[in-house]
Amino acid sequence: MTNLYCSQGHQNPSGSKFCLQCGEKIANIPTSVNQGIQPGQTLGDRYAIIRQIGQGGFGRTYLAEDINRFREACVLKEFSPQVQTPYVVQKAEELFQREASVLYKLQHPQIPRFRELLRLNLQGKESLFLVQDYVDGETYNSLLNSRQQRGLKFTEAEIHQLLQQILPVLEYIHSLGVIHRDISPDNLMLRNGDKLPVLIDFGGVKQVAATVASQYYQTGAMTPPSNGTLLGKIGFAPPEQMQTGVVSTHSDLYALAVTMLVLLTGKQPQELIDTYNLSWQWRKEVILSPAFGQIIDKMLSPIASDRYQTVSQLLQALNPPKTQPVNYPQYPQTQPPTSATVAFSPPQIPVSEPVITANPAKPKPSIWTGTNVFIMTLALFTSLGLLAWGFKNRSQNLNASNPTITSSPSSTEIEKPAVNFSPEEKQRKQKLSDSRENLGINYKFYVALVNQVFREKDPSLKGRILSDNPEDESLRAEWDKTAAQVLEKLSAISSESRRQLGNYTFAERDRWKVAVNKINVGSRSLYHLGDAAFLREFPEQKGKDFIKQPIGQVWYAFVNDQLNAILSKSAFTRIVFPEGATGKTVNGSLQPGRGKVFIAGLAKDQNMEVKLEANAKLLLSIYSPSGKIVFLEDSQERSLSKTLPETGFYEFVIVSTASEPVDYQLTVTAENPPAPEPTPTETPTEEPTPTETPTETPTPESN
């Protein structure tokens, strides 16, 4: 049986004349459709189709691999108008270009990244494809269906957590003037890697489809609606959106409340609302706490002005201030302590999971994982002047749109030395304070970082409570010594990158990828350089999963510096063979913990030879243009001979693990295979002309 779809993509059984979800008249679209794009086909010389993963009213959705981006998984959403006139196609592309500019500026770890708009002619039919990142996960609608089969639904605690995780995403898009317009369980996905919700299928794209196709199907002409396209699912969208097309930030909050009720009750909106007076009757389906029930009711108010107007207002309602005083724990003192300690909130240290080099000895969080944020709480007794040296992780989901930690303490928070501290200890602590300020490092992040390093040196100190009395002076001195060492290591980072410590998120990874891809370098090569610089200063972190710790922020800072080194070409060179030559030799010297990336444009079937003359402290990595083939990685091998499988820019990465400068000489040669000998029946009239070694191939597009 062939399903039918309305202009908004709602699925209906064969023979339907009206959409069962929104009531729209279904156009007389032929049901005999082709089988779509077959697996293995490559679109735009870039996207290799893996399989079809969905079908809607305007086309199909495909899972594909981006062969220009190391075969990263991506999604191609097809828009192929059934009515194929030059005007319809032209208008569709104009509107999609406009919406693409909106999608492009959305750079958030819980929103699939927009890659490009692709226009193709397939079998004589114009098609537009929106290319976005692939989300490995399930929609909340699918999750609900799975639970209902077991007699289960979502709990209030789960919904409360979901709100805490998705509201920062809405706050982010609203800050850019973007309204989603189509929030529902179908457009929320739970990502498998980090178990964070992801917001998909923005209504702006569907509005384009509705504007282009629905108007044509229903009227036979492209006449723009007088009050905007009426977009949204019946029951999920607020009344004013369905009646006038007018949307605001509170429109998304209304749809979000309906979505939460569907997950809580397992009922569709039409089953929860009284169609006579349009009042919500959800309380007979689920029992919620009074406070949470009031929040849901306010979000669902039929009068727009009575709802929460912003995400910030809603978050304040969900997280009311404590009625009782809260004694927030503090940190081991690196500033001179005072007899009357000033309490302050724990820092919010954003952490993320970037893709780093493929060496199993190095931390390798999975691709496209979300941003989990950890609050490092350090127990410090305040009124008694006691110091706590251990810390504990509490996983929290903070506002990903503003993932910053609080600024350095004001002068009122910088405590005076305790009376019983020796003059030497007071002087030592003041020196640490001055060094930190000179380096521009956030105080709270600095304390969390030093605590981590100090604890890892002696795990038995985890949770150890230290007083400011003389008997603990030796441990305080050891902590201060660790702090001084950490500050010395951080001084190797540029001031620009140091200022961002505590603020890095995995959105940086996307920015880095775009930047290096523009010069035909893969992010894997960048991470090799970042690892070398980071592990020189913190060798004890090798092989550890440090990204979710404060030390992971330091890794980000080192990689950011190496990115700048590559872009400034101090750590990047393009190898170009002299005219008529088949090879090139480059010489140089690497400082400890530094590296360099080389690229060379070579052709398929050429015979490549690589030779590196250097001591064993220099490691060599070689990658194919697509990144799919790894010839060497962090290797001490000094030569390689291969027949090349691809045409494009090959990457050669050298990093130093030495403790002193090391000279190197890298030679790359590439010769064309010999021309085949003519058979006895062939009489060549002239010598075959060998193919020239390419010096340039098209630059992969970046997003």
Side-chain angles (χ1 to χ4, degrees):
M1 183 188 303
T2 302
N3 291 319
L4 296 179
Y5 299 84
C6 70
S7 64
Q8 296 185 37
H10 300 148
Q11 180 176 308
N12 297 274
S14 177
S16 300
K17 295 184 178 180
F18 296 91
C19 178
L20 299 181
Q21 293 191 47
C22 66
E24 176 188 306
K25 182 179 179 180
I26 297 178
N28 184 23
I29 302 173
T31 58
S32 57
V33 295
N34 59 37
Q35 298 301 312
I37 303 169
Q38 299 302 306
Q41 186 174 347
T42 300
L43 302 185
D45 296 325
R46 177 169 184 174
Y47 301 105
I49 301 299
I50 298 176
R51 66 178 184 275
Q52 180 179 321
I53 57 176
Q55 182 171 326
F58 300 105
R60 298 174 173 85
T61 302
Y62 299 93
L63 176 63
E65 289 182 337
D66 186 344
I67 60 178
N68 284 351
R69 293 288 296 273
F70 306 107
R71 293 196 171 271
E72 291 177 344
C74 58
V75 171
L76 274 65
K77 296 185 177 181
E78 178 187 24
F79 172 66
S80 181
Q82 298 296 326
V83 179
Q84 289 280 309
T85 69
Y87 180 78
V88 168
V89 173
Q90 177 186 353
K91 190 64 177 177
E93 184 167 11
E94 290 175 0
L95 293 174
F96 264 95
Q97 289 284 6
R98 184 187 67 190
E99 290 300 326
S101 66
V102 175
L103 293 174
Y104 182 77
K105 69 180 181 180
L106 299 179
Q107 300 289 327
H108 191 283
Q110 287 168 258
I111 298 174
R113 184 163 49 95
F114 170 75
R115 290 170 177 256
E116 70 166 313
L117 178 65
L118 188 66
R119 178 179 180 177
L120 297 172
N121 187 297
L122 301 175
Q123 298 178 347
K125 187 176 181 181
E126 293 292 335
S127 292
L128 294 169
F129 293 87
L130 284 173
V131 186
Q132 293 179 295
D133 283 348
Y134 170 66
V135 179
D136 180 17
E138 287 188 80
T139 68
Y140 274 82
N141 188 44
S142 175
L143 293 171
L144 177 61
N145 291 336
S146 297
R147 291 196 179 198
Q148 287 184 294
Q149 292 175 4
R150 307 193 306 271
L152 302 173
K153 297 182 283 289
F154 283 81
T155 66
E156 178 178 339
E158 289 175 317
I159 294 302
H160 195 280
Q161 181 184 23
L162 174 57
L163 286 171
Q164 298 284 3
Q165 293 172 330
I166 202 63
L167 282 173
V169 186
L170 286 180
E171 188 170 41
Y172 167 74
I173 68 171
H174 291 170
S175 71
L176 298 178
V178 178
I179 310 298
H180 187 279
R181 292 178 277 192
D182 199 17
I183 295 176
S184 71
D186 281 322
N187 290 337
L188 283 176
M189 292 189 70
L190 181 65
R191 188 162 48 200
N192 290 331
D194 53 14
K195 300 303 180 183
L196 283 178
V198 178
L199 193 59
I200 64 172
D201 282 355
F202 279 67
V205 177
K206 293 182 178 179
Q207 181 177 4
V208 172
T211 301
V212 174
S214 179
Q215 290 292 316
Y216 198 101
Y217 295 159
Q218 295 176 26
T219 67
M222 289 295 296
T223 56
S226 58
N227 55 1
T229 302
L230 303 183
L231 176 75
K233 292 184 177 71
I234 287 181
F236 288 93
E240 73 276 3
Q241 181 175 341
M242 297 305 298
Q243 294 167 8
T244 67
V246 175
V247 294
S248 184
T249 53
H250 53 70
S251 306
D252 279 347
L253 299 183
Y254 182 101
L256 183 60
V258 179
T259 298
M260 299 301 107
L261 284 182
V262 170
L263 297 177
L264 284 164
T265 65
K267 303 285 186 180
Q268 291 303 306
Q270 294 86 341
E271 302 174 87
L272 298 172
I273 193 169
D274 188 327
T275 56
Y276 290 98
N277 56 23
L278 299 182
S279 62
W280 289 91
Q281 305 294 323
W282 59 266
R283 293 181 185 274
K284 62 183 180 181
E285 300 291 343
V286 63
I287 298 176
L288 302 178
S289 63
F292 192 54
Q294 291 174 7
I295 290 174
I296 293 291
D297 284 339
K298 187 175 178 68
M299 294 172 71
L300 291 173
S301 174
I303 302 175
S305 59
D306 289 344
R307 302 176 200 140
Y308 299 105
Q309 299 299 297
T310 65
V311 170
S312 178
Q313 292 177 3
L314 178 54
L315 283 170
Q316 289 176 9
L318 287 169
N319 304 290
K322 302 290 184 181
T323 56
Q324 299 297 324
V326 178
N327 294 320
Y328 286 107
Q330 291 186 343
Y331 305 101
Q333 299 295 334
T334 56
Q335 306 283 2
T338 180
S339 56
T341 306
V342 180
F344 50 87
S345 301
Q348 300 174 355
I349 303 172
V351 293
S352 55
E353 303 190 10
V355 178
I356 58 180
T357 55
N359 188 336
K362 300 177 182 178
K364 290 175 50 182
S366 58
I367 297 178
W368 303 124
T369 52
T371 305
N372 293 330
V373 184
F374 283 73
I375 296 180
M376 312 304 296
T377 53
L378 307 164
L380 176 68
F381 288 81
T382 56
S383 60
L384 297 178
L386 301 178
L387 303 179
W389 300 91
F391 68 82
K392 159 181 152 181
N393 287 336
R394 281 196 297 122
S395 177
Q396 298 288 340
N397 294 286
L398 303 175
N399 185 346
S401 64
N402 185 26
T404 58
I405 62 177
T406 53
S407 60
S408 297
S410 65
S411 58
T412 60
E413 293 174 317
I414 298 178
E415 297 106 351
K416 298 178 182 179
V419 182
N420 54 347
F421 277 17
S422 68
E424 292 78 13
E425 185 169 359
K426 293 177 183 178
Q427 183 179 9
R428 187 175 69 236
K429 292 185 181 299
Q430 186 60 54
K431 184 177 179 181
L432 286 173
S433 176
D434 293 342
S435 297
R436 178 193 61 77
E437 289 186 354
N438 290 337
L439 291 174
I441 299 171
N442 181 281
Y443 172 55
K444 295 183 181 181
F445 168 75
Y446 152 75
V447 173
L449 175 62
V450 174
N451 271 282
Q452 178 191 345
V453 176
F454 181 76
R455 183 201 62 172
E456 290 179 350
K457 284 184 176 180
D458 188 353
S460 66
L461 293 174
K462 182 178 180 180
R464 172 76 158 85
I465 303 295
L466 293 166
S467 72
D468 57 3
N469 295 326
E471 59 266 23
D472 286 332
E473 182 176 0
S474 61
L475 277 177
R476 294 198 304 269
E478 188 63 30
W479 195 95
D480 290 347
K481 179 181 178 181
T482 300
Q485 293 170 345
V486 168
L487 289 173
E488 177 65 25
K489 294 174 184 293
L490 296 184
S491 66
I493 304 171
S494 70
S495 58
E496 175 187 356
S497 296
R498 278 199 309 266
R499 284 194 297 270
Q500 295 300 314
L501 286 170
N503 296 319
Y504 290 105
T505 70
F506 88 85
E508 293 297 321
R509 180 191 65 191
D510 293 335
R511 181 179 68 85
W512 294 340
K513 280 186 178 181
V514 170
V516 295
N517 284 173
K518 287 181 178 179
I519 58 173
N520 298 291
V521 174
S523 56
R524 182 160 44 186
S525 297
L526 166 64
Y527 296 146
H528 274 304
L529 270 59
D531 289 348
F534 171 75
L535 293 175
R536 168 170 168 73
E537 302 297 339
F538 298 92
E540 71 280 1
Q541 297 298 326
K542 186 173 183 180
K544 294 183 179 180
D545 184 13
F546 56 76
I547 298 300
K548 294 181 180 180
Q549 304 294 332
I551 197 73
Q553 290 284 300
V554 180
W555 180 86
Y556 271 100
F558 274 108
V559 177
N560 196 57
D561 276 352
Q562 295 309 305
L563 169 71
N564 294 330
I566 289 176
L567 297 181
S568 67
K569 297 188 178 180
S570 63
F572 169 73
T573 294
R574 178 178 168 185
I575 298 175
V576 180
F577 296 171
E579 185 175 357
T582 59
K584 178 75 177 287
T585 298
V586 291
N587 302 278
S589 179
L590 289 180
Q591 296 297 316
R594 292 296 180 261
K596 194 159 187 176
V597 179
F598 301 87
I599 64 170
L602 307 175
K604 182 179 180 181
D605 294 330
Q606 285 185 318
N607 298 317
M608 179 186 73
E609 291 191 3
V610 181
K611 184 177 181 181
L612 175 63
E613 296 183 21
N615 69 31
K617 293 294 184 179
L618 263 58
L619 305 180
L620 176 62
S621 302
I622 303 177
Y623 301 108
S624 68
S626 67
K628 188 175 181 180
I629 301 175
V630 178
F631 296 104
L632 294 175
E633 189 163 63
D634 279 345
S635 175
Q636 293 182 344
E637 292 188 34
R638 291 296 175 258
S639 62
L640 176 74
S641 180
K642 290 288 182 180
T643 299
L644 299 182
E646 304 172 8
T647 295
F649 283 101
Y650 285 75
E651 297 174 67
F652 309 86
V653 188
I654 307 174
V655 297
S656 174
T657 61
S659 57
E660 67 283 326
V662 177
D663 295 333
Y664 66 86
Q665 179 174 291
L666 176 68
T667 302
V668 179
T669 61
E671 297 182 351
N672 295 318
E677 293 290 337
T679 62
T681 58
E682 294 177 337
T683 306
T685 57
E686 60 182 36
E687 290 294 324
T689 302
T691 304
E692 295 182 357
T693 301
T695 58
E696 184 172 357
T697 57
T699 301
E701 294 182 34
S702 303
N703 301 297

